[in-house]
Amino acid sequence: MAVSTVVTDDGKTVSIIVTSQFDYSLHQSFRDAYRNVDKAGVTFRVDLSKSTYMDSSALGMILLLKEHADKLGGRVIIARPNESVLKILSIANFDKFVTIEK
């Protein structure tokens, strides 16, 4: 599966793991990974360590996740992007509004 989800026992952290190219084909599965989460203060951790590519639709998906997290008083962390994905995130200035863990 290209998108999987792991939730901590306390429900405070939802890890969304993307293991393929992060593009529009993952739109529905990415949205399904977080849309039913409604815990206040939740942290969404998007693990991109196994994703080798992302396009503009993936950036849009992260923005939608950020909106969802903001409504819950939560936050979004993008974890372990490779160099090419990190470059795309940097060009789009995503480091200004989400945390990027290298």
Side-chain angles (χ1 to χ4, degrees):
M1 181 171 261
V3 176
S4 58
T5 307
V6 177
V7 181
T8 56
D9 289 338
D10 61 8
K12 292 183 179 180
T13 302
V14 176
S15 294
I16 303 170
I17 302 110
V18 180
T19 59
S20 67
Q21 292 188 0
F22 195 5
D23 58 23
Y24 186 75
S25 68
L26 300 181
H27 174 76
Q28 191 61 52
S29 57
F30 187 80
R31 185 171 182 269
D32 289 346
Y34 70 83
R35 72 177 180 169
N36 292 323
V37 175
D38 59 0
K39 185 167 184 75
V42 67
T43 297
F44 293 97
R45 187 173 185 273
V46 181
D47 185 338
L48 298 180
S49 62
K50 293 186 170 121
S51 185
T52 57
Y53 168 81
M54 84 183 317
D55 66 7
S56 60
S57 63
L59 296 173
M61 287 183 255
I62 292 172
L63 288 175
L64 291 172
L65 172 61
K66 173 85 167 92
E67 285 180 14
H68 183 74
D70 287 348
K71 287 178 188 173
L72 298 171
R75 66 187 191 133
V76 174
I77 297 171
I78 298 175
R80 304 182 318 169
N82 69 23
E83 287 301 315
S84 62
V85 171
L86 181 59
K87 187 173 183 178
I88 292 165
L89 292 166
S90 296
I91 289 169
N93 290 317
F94 268 54
D95 56 328
K96 303 289 188 234
F97 56 90
V98 299
T99 302
I100 299 175
E101 293 178 349
K102 297 175 187 173

